[in-house]
Amino acid sequence: MSTRKKSVISRASPHTIKKFEIIEEYIKSWAQKLMLNDSCNGLVFIDCMCNCGVYTDDNGKTVNGTAVRVSEVLLEVARTYTDKMVYIYLNDKDAKRVDELEKHLPQNERNYQIVTSRLDAHDLLKTIGTQLYETGHLHYFLLYDPYDATINWEALLPFFRNWGEVMINHMVSDPVRAITSAKKKTTKEKYENTYLEDFEKLVPYGSDKKAYEARVEKIIYSLKGARRYYVSAFPFYNTQNSLVYNLIHCTSNKEGFKLYKKSAWKVFGAQSSTKHSVENRQLSFDFYVEIAEEKDESCLHVIDIAKYLQRSFRGRKQVPLDEMWELLDNHPIFPSEGFRNEIKNDLTSLFGAKIEQIVNPDTGKKETVISFSQ
């Protein structure tokens, strides 16, 4: 009796494809910004759990995954900035997945090198992590994308402490669904290692996803050292509007923090997640007031950014626009770039704010200011 050979190419759900798109969108801009910096001699991208590089969507169409998308993006970057190096490390412990991946990757060039491996992800990271302190002006981006709620903080620690960025896929749906019924010792240890807490203390979290999210963020801040650090997380929902995971971006670079927020909102279509939520929320001010108390924090829209700014600056006259954008610069979710015209439109049409140009009495130069109503 013959057995059907199992394909290494799996199906990618819509929210997974959005994840590919966000990472690709971010890496495009991240690479350009860094290559223009004289202190950057090259880029290192690491995907330590890369899978096979290609998937099929719900219609059976082939879709490139993160590893292939980023490899193609960074090849163009390497060809543009020929005096700087690009290194790409792609790893999966499943050798068959890597065999398939290698069929879809670009060829190496003088200043563009892809290294594939078939190791345990954490063994790879421990090897690379020990080299970080000697690499000088290379800028790192580490993608840590496990298939369940498994996070090895020891392996990640050097990447938090050095110049670079870490993106973690926190599979929060795993503990929400299974922690209260976990019986096996290995399962309990997985949760203990991920959340750095005794299992008995984690069980009361139950299905409270915010508790797991807060715990992971607390761990990240405890590992980042003394420097200032920026963390932004965006949730991904399936077609039934159930939370699957959070894609967490960690960096000491404020520009990277701003860029990730802009990339996520762009790919999500001017909202903060893949969740299907209330449509046509901007029909009128009266309509907005009626639904204001029903705002869904898991899926925010541009109108929610405008509301946040109105609340923050209520009653203030002639606020420089730069001050308003700076407030958004530091917000963990709201982007300060990419949606400025839409934000200003909502502030004026829905909240009665007034935008005008004045001459700054101190500098004698024209500047744009906004006045907020009570």
Side-chain angles (χ1 to χ4, degrees):
M1 182 177 178
S2 63
T3 57
R4 186 177 180 181
K5 186 178 180 181
K6 184 178 180 181
S7 174
V8 297
I9 300 176
S10 57
R11 184 182 68 84
S13 55
H15 64 78
T16 301
I17 295 173
K18 284 297 181 186
K19 178 182 68 174
F20 300 156
E21 292 173 358
I22 284 179
I23 297 171
E24 178 185 15
E25 177 70 26
Y26 179 79
I27 292 297
K28 281 181 182 177
S29 299
W30 171 81
Q32 291 289 341
K33 279 182 175 290
L34 285 175
M35 287 304 210
L36 289 170
N37 190 324
D38 291 338
S39 67
C40 174
N41 292 336
L43 305 176
V44 181
F45 177 87
I46 306 165
D47 185 346
C48 59
M49 303 167 181
C50 65
N51 210 304
C52 66
V54 292
Y55 301 77
T56 56
D57 64 15
D58 288 345
N59 298 316
K61 182 181 177 181
T62 299
V63 176
N64 287 341
T66 300
V68 174
R69 289 171 184 249
V70 169
S71 295
E72 292 176 349
V73 165
L74 292 182
L75 175 59
E76 293 306 311
V77 170
R79 289 174 172 174
T80 302
Y81 301 93
T82 55
D83 59 332
K84 300 186 178 186
M85 289 296 302
V86 172
Y87 301 98
I88 301 173
Y89 293 89
L90 302 175
N91 175 80
D92 199 284
K93 66 180 180 180
D94 187 327
K96 291 182 179 178
R97 288 174 176 163
V98 180
D99 291 343
E100 180 66 31
L101 169 67
E102 290 177 339
K103 301 174 184 177
H104 307 278
L105 296 174
Q107 296 296 309
N108 285 349
E109 299 186 3
R110 181 191 58 78
N111 67 324
Y112 173 85
Q113 299 291 314
I114 298 178
V115 179
T116 57
S117 55
R118 298 154 175 83
L119 305 171
D120 178 272
H122 306 118
D123 291 338
L124 174 69
L125 294 185
K126 288 175 182 177
T127 300
I128 297 177
T130 59
Q131 304 168 2
L132 289 180
Y133 300 95
E134 306 167 1
T135 54
H137 298 284
L138 290 178
H139 293 248
Y140 284 77
F141 183 98
L142 168 61
L143 175 61
Y144 187 90
D145 190 359
Y147 309 118
D148 59 8
T150 299
I151 302 176
N152 186 320
W153 297 106
E154 181 183 357
L156 294 177
L157 180 60
F159 297 89
F160 286 118
R161 295 290 176 87
N162 283 272
W163 183 259
E165 305 182 25
V166 179
M167 185 173 284
I168 300 173
N169 184 351
H170 174 210
M171 193 69 69
V172 68
S173 59
D174 178 353
V176 164
R177 180 184 66 253
I179 201 165
T180 55
S181 59
K183 303 297 182 186
K184 293 182 179 178
K185 181 181 179 181
T186 53
T187 304
K188 293 180 179 180
E189 288 177 345
K190 176 186 75 171
Y191 292 131
E192 288 180 333
N193 293 333
T194 294
Y195 299 106
L196 300 183
E197 191 68 274
D198 291 338
F199 184 76
E200 290 74 18
K201 294 183 179 179
L202 292 172
V203 172
Y205 286 17
S207 59
D208 184 1
K209 63 180 185 297
K210 291 189 178 297
Y212 300 105
E213 293 167 348
R215 181 63 188 164
V216 166
E217 187 168 336
K218 183 177 181 180
I219 293 170
I220 291 170
Y221 279 114
S222 72
L223 297 178
K224 53 87 175 175
R227 59 192 177 151
R228 187 167 184 180
Y229 215 66
Y230 302 91
V231 178
S232 185
F234 287 92
F236 287 72
Y237 291 81
N238 61 22
T239 53
Q240 286 74 45
N241 272 352
S242 295
L243 176 66
V244 184
Y245 51 81
N246 290 316
L247 196 60
I248 309 171
H249 178 254
C250 315
T251 182
S252 60
N253 187 303
K254 190 172 184 178
E255 292 303 311
F257 173 67
K258 291 160 54 178
L259 184 59
Y260 180 55
K261 294 187 294 178
K262 176 184 177 181
S263 299
W265 277 70
K266 178 180 178 180
V267 171
F268 286 147
Q271 61 183 48
S272 67
S273 77
T274 58
K275 191 172 185 179
H276 302 289
S277 60
V278 178
E279 299 290 343
N280 299 322
R281 297 180 66 195
Q282 304 184 46
L283 292 179
S284 70
F285 182 75
D286 290 339
F287 178 66
Y288 174 72
V289 170
E290 290 175 8
I291 68 168
E293 298 305 317
E294 300 176 10
K295 180 180 68 173
D296 184 357
E297 294 288 348
S298 61
C299 190
L300 300 167
H301 298 77
V302 172
I303 196 172
D304 297 306
I305 304 177
K307 182 181 179 184
Y308 168 73
L309 293 171
Q310 167 67 19
R311 186 170 62 247
S312 300
F313 293 106
R314 182 181 290 122
R316 283 193 55 186
K317 307 298 182 184
Q318 297 188 338
V319 177
L321 282 184
D322 287 346
E323 182 180 345
M324 187 174 76
W325 303 136
E326 185 177 0
L327 180 65
L328 294 180
D329 282 348
N330 295 293
H331 194 280
I333 300 297
F334 292 151
S336 57
E337 299 174 349
F339 300 89
R340 292 188 174 186
N341 289 335
E342 294 88 339
I343 292 169
K344 289 187 291 186
N345 181 65
D346 279 0
L347 284 171
T348 55
S349 63
L350 300 179
F351 294 99
K354 298 186 184 301
I355 298 177
E356 58 184 335
Q357 275 202 333
I358 65 168
V359 176
N360 188 311
D362 297 323
T363 64
K365 296 181 179 180
K366 287 185 177 181
E367 66 177 346
T368 304
V369 296
I370 182 169
S371 297
F372 292 83
S373 60
Q374 295 293 337

